[in-house]
Amino acid sequence: MASKSSMKCHYEVLNVSRDANSDELKKSYRKLALKWHPDKNPDQIEECTRQFRIIQQAYDVLSDPQERAWYDKHREAILRGGMGHGESYTDDSLDVFQYFNTSCFMGYGDDEEGFYAVYREVFNVIDHEDDEFRDDDDEEFKAPEFGQSDSSYEEVVKPFYDYWEHYFTVKSYVWVEKYDTREAPDRRTRRAMEAENKKLRDAAKKERNEEVRALVGFIKKRDKRVQAYRKKMEERNEEIARKAKEKRDQHRRELLKQAENYEDKGWSAMTELEDDLQKLESQFTSSEEEECGEEEDEEEIYDEPFCVACNKFFKSEKALSNHERSKKHKENVALLKEQMQEEDEDLVESGGGTENPQNDVNSEEDSADQETQPTKQK
């Protein structure tokens, strides 16, 4: 990763990796010291002396475990001009607060001053700043980009917001530390210094995370791509609700039609009707999935499991199964059965003209008994 100053990394000076062990450090140091020792280069005394001093300094730091640990933690800040060069480190991170204003862009186009071009550059800068603090293994990492006005929601917009809404800076923020632990007189004091330094670093990281996430929220609220997707989802949900209502009404009409055909079947007919009501919910869910599967591709969005009694969709069959065991669901099922039974009774009353079909049956049986009585006496 590139450095912003002329200061060269100690590992680069000794030409070793950052996980090199002590033997590798010593071997490389001896080879370079022999090559650049002024006594070996009498015709380049000045240059070799300077280079030899840099090699010696690098080895002095990396060969001492405590010095090396401190250097590893503060490496980026040192290379950027602070932490040990007699200079105070300047954090030149992008000031995101200037972008909490609609005046920073002109319109919602892709031109240089448009919404998508401006904020695309903002997040590219933030990600580039983090690049300098990523480990060697993560140097190739690239955060999702903001995209353009016509970018796909699923492929670009959603991944962008999923990442940046949970942004965590990888900057070390070692430049906010108050104590130099190398100056600690004993282990106890050093631990206390480290604890205080960590508290300061964590506070700085949290502040940066909150700044960036707040900016993401500000942008998302105004992103036309997000607004269009939300409108599409609202229309989708309305369509789902409409289709669900149509199917629910259709099933109820079918059951009421069946009830009209139960003329003189007595209570057995009512029992069968109750059984049908109990099966309604499961039949509705399965039949809805089968019918939706035969529709065009754009209709596949209506395959979610649905509870008729509660008028509610679920993401999976398992979620629906858990819901069916809830007290609220059972209450709604009982209420639905009661409502449909009342509707059936009202229909029977309006069609038959009698209050109780069973009483009519009993009355006809009594008349038949009276007519046959004289025959028995003869």
Side-chain angles (χ1 to χ4, degrees):
M1 81 183 47
S3 173
K4 288 189 177 182
S5 74
S6 59
M7 174 69 180
K8 197 171 183 180
C9 173
H10 290 334
Y11 292 100
E12 294 178 4
V13 169
L14 296 180
N15 195 27
V16 295
S17 63
R18 290 172 63 180
D19 59 355
N21 57 39
S22 58
D23 290 337
E24 292 172 331
L25 288 171
K26 184 181 295 185
K27 181 179 179 180
S28 182
Y29 164 70
R30 288 178 176 176
K31 180 179 179 179
L32 292 171
L34 182 63
K35 175 182 177 181
W36 291 98
H37 198 286
D39 294 345
K40 300 291 184 180
N41 299 275
D43 55 337
Q44 302 182 54
I45 295 294
E46 185 175 345
E47 172 64 19
C48 290
T49 299
R50 185 184 66 82
Q51 190 65 31
F52 184 80
R53 186 182 300 114
I54 293 175
I55 295 171
Q56 183 68 53
Q57 180 185 11
Y59 182 70
D60 287 344
V61 172
L62 299 183
S63 61
D64 183 302
Q66 184 175 334
E67 285 281 339
R68 183 177 180 178
W70 190 90
Y71 175 78
D72 287 343
K73 182 184 293 184
H74 302 82
R75 175 175 172 272
E76 293 296 341
I78 292 173
L79 296 180
R80 290 166 62 129
M83 309 296 294
H85 294 276
E87 306 176 21
S88 59
Y89 175 80
T90 301
D91 182 9
D92 56 355
S93 298
L94 179 67
D95 179 12
V96 300
F97 289 103
Q98 60 184 307
Y99 297 101
F100 282 86
N101 196 319
T102 56
S103 63
C104 72
F105 62 89
M106 298 292 292
Y108 289 87
D110 294 311
D111 54 282
E112 185 176 351
E113 296 182 354
F115 178 86
Y116 298 99
V118 169
Y119 287 113
R120 181 168 58 249
E121 179 62 20
V122 167
F123 288 98
N124 284 342
V125 170
I126 296 174
D127 186 54
H128 178 69
E129 291 175 352
D130 280 354
D131 275 343
E132 301 192 26
F133 292 87
R134 289 191 173 99
D135 295 334
D136 292 340
D137 296 338
D138 297 328
E139 285 185 348
E140 300 301 323
F141 174 81
K142 187 65 176 177
E145 293 191 355
F146 191 55
Q148 299 178 329
S149 61
D150 58 352
S151 295
S152 165
Y153 183 87
E154 296 295 338
E155 297 178 2
V156 177
V157 182
K158 186 178 185 300
F160 171 84
Y161 285 110
D162 285 346
Y163 174 83
W164 287 100
E165 284 180 327
H166 302 88
Y167 169 78
F168 285 94
T169 180
V170 296
K171 293 182 179 180
S172 62
Y173 282 93
V174 293
W175 51 89
V176 302
E177 293 182 353
K178 183 178 180 180
Y179 302 102
D180 186 341
T181 56
R182 295 174 298 179
E183 300 176 356
D186 51 53
R187 182 179 298 178
R188 180 179 179 183
T189 303
R190 183 168 62 254
R191 288 180 176 175
M193 288 180 172
E194 290 174 347
E196 183 63 23
N197 286 341
K198 183 178 184 303
K199 186 182 298 183
L200 295 172
R201 293 196 308 272
D202 291 344
K205 290 181 181 180
K206 180 180 179 181
E207 182 179 2
R208 182 61 174 177
N209 293 337
E210 292 176 348
E211 290 174 358
V212 174
R213 293 174 191 173
L215 177 62
V216 174
F218 175 86
I219 296 171
K220 187 175 184 179
K221 185 177 180 180
R222 292 158 177 79
D223 194 334
K224 300 300 183 183
R225 301 168 303 180
V226 176
Q227 294 174 4
Y229 181 78
R230 286 176 175 169
K231 182 178 180 180
K232 177 182 177 181
M233 290 298 99
E234 289 175 358
E235 293 174 351
R236 167 186 180 274
N237 292 336
E238 290 175 359
E239 182 68 7
I240 290 175
R242 184 185 66 79
K243 284 183 173 291
K245 184 177 183 302
E246 288 179 358
K247 290 188 176 294
R248 187 171 59 251
D249 292 345
Q250 178 182 350
H251 278 269
R252 295 182 66 177
R253 285 194 298 269
E254 291 176 355
L255 288 175
L256 291 175
K257 186 176 181 179
Q258 293 176 15
E260 293 176 356
N261 298 327
Y262 295 159
E263 295 179 349
D264 291 323
K265 296 184 179 180
W267 291 109
S268 62
M270 297 303 297
T271 301
E272 291 177 4
L273 180 59
E274 290 180 0
D275 293 339
D276 288 338
L277 288 172
Q278 293 175 352
K279 297 176 181 178
L280 172 61
E281 185 175 344
S282 60
Q283 291 176 346
F284 173 74
T285 301
S286 60
S287 62
E288 180 186 25
E289 293 177 351
E290 293 174 359
E291 293 177 11
C292 289
E294 298 174 356
E295 295 177 353
E296 298 294 334
D297 292 339
E298 60 269 20
E299 297 293 329
E300 292 179 357
I301 59 176
Y302 307 114
D303 290 338
E304 293 91 341
F306 178 78
C307 175
V308 177
C310 301
N311 192 22
K312 184 175 181 181
F313 284 90
F314 296 87
K315 294 182 178 180
S316 66
E317 293 293 342
K318 182 176 180 181
L320 175 61
S321 178
N322 293 336
H323 166 75
E324 291 174 343
R325 292 194 291 269
S326 67
K327 180 178 179 181
K328 183 66 175 178
H329 168 76
K330 295 178 179 179
E331 291 176 351
N332 287 340
V333 170
L335 180 59
L336 178 61
K337 291 168 59 179
E338 181 178 348
Q339 292 175 346
M340 296 187 68
Q341 185 170 339
E342 290 176 356
E343 292 178 1
D344 181 66
E345 292 175 353
D346 292 341
L347 182 63
V348 172
E349 290 178 2
S350 61
T354 60
E355 296 183 355
N356 192 332
Q358 186 63 41
N359 289 340
D360 292 342
V361 173
N362 294 337
S363 178
E364 292 177 0
E365 292 178 350
D366 292 342
S367 297
D369 291 342
Q370 291 176 1
E371 293 176 357
T372 57
Q373 188 66 32
T375 303
K376 293 181 181 179
Q377 290 176 355
K378 291 179 180 180

